[in-house]
Amino acid sequence: MQADQLHVRQRLGYRKFASPPFRFLFLKYDYFGQVHLVNALRRQGHGVTELPPPHPATAEASLDQILKQAAEHQADALITMNNMGLDDLGVMTTELSRLGLPTIQWFVDNYRFTGPHFAGDTPELVLALSTDRRLVPVLGAAGFPHVDYLPLAADIGFTAIRFDERYTFLRDRVSYVGGTFSKMVANFHSADHDRLYRQWRPDFAAEKAARGSLDLEATFAPYRQRFPDRDAYHSFMAYVVFQETRRYRAGRLKGLLEEPLTVFGTDDWLEFLPEDVVHKPVAYHLETPNVYRNSAVNLSLTTFQQEAALNQRLFDVPLCNGFILSDWQESLAEHFEPGEELIVFHDDDELRDKVRYYLGHPEARERVVQKARDRILREHLMEHRVTTMLDLAAGIFA
């Protein structure tokens, strides 16, 4: 072992997860879920040192920064979301493990599109968590030594946003906050991808309705051999998933144009919806709580990259005392009681019927909201997820 590597191992040789409170490094990016997680860690008394995004630094320089900060703060682990700040081949993760620093990776989007896809032997000191129960076996097959399921949750601090009268006009309206995924479609676009997609003409909404859920691996399996490697295959998969999500969301919303509908998002929505329906985007941490609490009905339209996972709206909206109407997702019944704590729809007709019913029955909305909020406060706050995460990590790394 080289002298500098021996020195690093010696500096990182302290015992990890000996006793709480723990100390963590966190690779910070502009991603809403990171704030929730860091807030909850700190509310529980744990120390969090946020490191700025390493780009455009080299992987070697980024790794050196992480190691220096870990030794200085005697960090118990490095935490990342979606592998942000680490390389796609898992080289940095492997090196951190070899030098004695555990990594906790929480995948809140589809792992196939985020990586890492390890180039060599997989590291031992890594805990990989997925918000999608269907992707836990995928993580295991990818070589992660420790994998588990950890759904999203709400940040109790989200309710502290001050009341804003600008959003009271929504009190008799249906609202949707979200994007068209046009940027993601463009990111993964190629002429070959588009040609294959249009030849295939899939309908993921219909497939999900027929099966009750999506299985992306099975759905895309006939196309696997058309691509030279995994990255090219996953790029095509991402292109189709985001194209279908865009088509699905636009179709659901166009089916509600006879209702009092307001959509908050970028101008990309004008490709599908009238100008009077589309409003400018709202800032997630500062404005969406007021959209949620003021709207008569908040819609949830799940992306197809989430095979079974629950999205953030399902936790945020009731916590803000808002009513949510969601498309069906496989994991819903595991975390909420459908029909009592969460109202769902399966097709356009059911969506319109339930929108009209709940617009006209505020007392029914209120009963559902209170039951959902009580469940979230009992089981689905970010503090609950942090406790689960750290119990798993301590059991592995202590």
Side-chain angles (χ1 to χ4, degrees):
M1 182 180 295
Q2 296 180 357
D4 56 341
Q5 293 181 349
L6 178 61
H7 177 64
V8 170
R9 286 187 69 93
Q10 289 173 341
R11 293 191 68 195
L12 295 176
Y14 52 86
R15 185 180 170 192
K16 312 299 190 299
F17 291 93
S19 63
F22 302 123
R23 296 168 297 277
F24 300 101
L25 302 182
F26 198 98
L27 292 177
K28 183 180 180 181
Y29 276 73
D30 184 18
Y31 191 83
F32 67 91
Q34 294 188 339
V35 176
H36 294 335
L37 179 54
V38 170
N39 287 346
L41 284 164
R42 287 174 172 160
R43 282 195 295 265
Q44 289 193 351
H46 304 293
V48 182
T49 300
E50 297 180 77
L51 303 182
H55 303 299
T58 63
E60 183 177 357
S62 300
L63 183 63
D64 184 60
Q65 179 194 31
I66 291 169
L67 293 171
K68 286 179 178 178
Q69 291 290 331
E72 178 180 344
H73 296 281
Q74 297 224 315
D76 291 282
L78 171 74
I79 300 178
T80 72
M81 275 185 162
N82 287 346
N83 197 49
M84 292 178 180
L86 301 176
D87 63 286
D88 292 342
L89 297 179
V91 175
M92 293 172 66
T93 304
T94 302
E95 186 68 4
L96 290 171
S97 176
R98 191 177 67 81
L99 294 172
L101 182 66
T103 303
I104 301 171
Q105 300 199 10
W106 193 11
F107 294 97
V108 298
D109 290 313
N110 195 303
Y111 161 73
R112 298 181 185 90
F113 309 148
T114 63
H117 305 290
F118 294 102
D121 294 335
T122 53
E124 282 299 315
L125 301 183
V126 181
L127 170 61
L129 303 164
S130 175
T131 59
D132 197 324
R133 191 179 288 284
R134 278 180 167 263
L135 294 183
V136 172
V138 175
L139 292 171
F144 285 97
H146 310 287
V147 300
D148 219 311
Y149 171 58
L150 192 69
L152 289 169
D155 184 349
I156 190 65
F158 208 54
T159 63
I161 302 301
R162 295 175 57 186
F163 182 79
D164 191 331
E165 291 187 353
R166 291 178 300 166
Y167 298 96
T168 57
F169 77 96
L170 296 169
R171 288 181 176 173
D172 59 353
R173 301 188 68 80
V174 183
S175 295
Y176 180 69
V177 180
T180 64
F181 280 103
S182 295
K183 183 176 180 180
M184 297 301 291
V185 168
N187 286 345
F188 290 101
H189 176 270
S190 75
D192 286 343
H193 288 174
D194 195 58
R195 176 178 52 80
L196 280 176
Y197 169 65
R198 297 187 185 285
Q199 288 176 355
W200 180 9
R201 292 288 181 184
D203 187 339
F204 284 4
E207 181 180 340
K208 184 176 178 181
R211 294 183 180 178
S213 63
L214 279 180
D215 182 343
L216 292 181
E217 203 65 51
T219 298
F220 282 88
Y223 291 86
R224 177 64 183 90
Q225 299 306 315
R226 293 174 178 251
F227 296 92
D229 53 43
R230 180 193 56 234
D231 289 344
Y233 174 54
H234 285 169
S235 178
F236 170 67
M237 185 183 288
Y239 180 74
V240 175
V241 163
F242 293 124
Q243 277 277 30
E244 279 296 284
T245 297
R246 180 170 66 168
R247 186 164 74 92
Y248 166 69
R249 288 183 169 180
R252 290 287 195 235
L253 293 172
K254 285 193 288 187
L256 292 175
L257 288 179
E258 294 182 2
E259 313 305 325
L261 176 67
T262 301
V263 174
F264 294 92
T266 63
D267 287 347
D268 295 340
W269 278 118
L270 296 175
E271 180 181 345
F272 309 101
L273 302 172
E275 188 174 356
D276 61 335
V277 169
V278 179
H279 287 233
K280 67 179 182 179
V282 284
Y284 174 71
H285 289 102
L286 298 177
E287 297 173 301
T288 52
N290 276 295
V291 173
Y292 293 160
R293 64 169 58 108
N294 279 289
S295 298
V297 175
N298 292 278
L299 293 179
S300 175
L301 303 172
T302 309
T303 74
F304 289 126
Q305 69 163 319
Q306 296 172 306
E307 295 183 32
L310 305 189
N311 63 40
Q312 190 66 47
R313 294 175 189 83
L314 299 181
F315 303 101
D316 287 348
V317 174
L319 188 67
C320 294
N321 284 312
F323 174 83
I324 190 163
L325 177 58
S326 176
D327 50 6
W328 173 254
Q329 193 71 343
E330 187 178 81
S331 294
L332 277 169
E334 181 180 354
H335 300 290
F336 295 96
E337 185 176 349
E340 294 291 326
E341 298 172 332
L342 199 68
I343 306 301
V344 300
F345 66 89
H346 297 82
D347 55 40
D348 284 334
D349 290 339
E350 188 178 13
L351 171 59
R352 281 191 295 270
D353 289 346
K354 288 188 173 179
V355 162
R356 290 169 181 169
Y357 175 82
Y358 284 102
L359 281 175
H361 292 81
E363 72 290 346
R365 298 198 307 263
E366 182 61 24
R367 284 196 298 270
V368 174
V369 169
Q370 289 309 309
K371 289 179 180 179
R373 193 171 193 273
D374 289 346
R375 171 65 77 96
I376 290 166
L377 291 172
R378 288 196 313 270
E379 300 178 14
H380 300 314
L381 293 178
M382 191 60 76
E383 275 79 359
H384 298 120
R385 305 299 185 254
V386 164
T387 296
T388 300
M389 175 189 291
L390 300 189
D391 284 348
L392 289 169
I396 296 166
F397 303 129

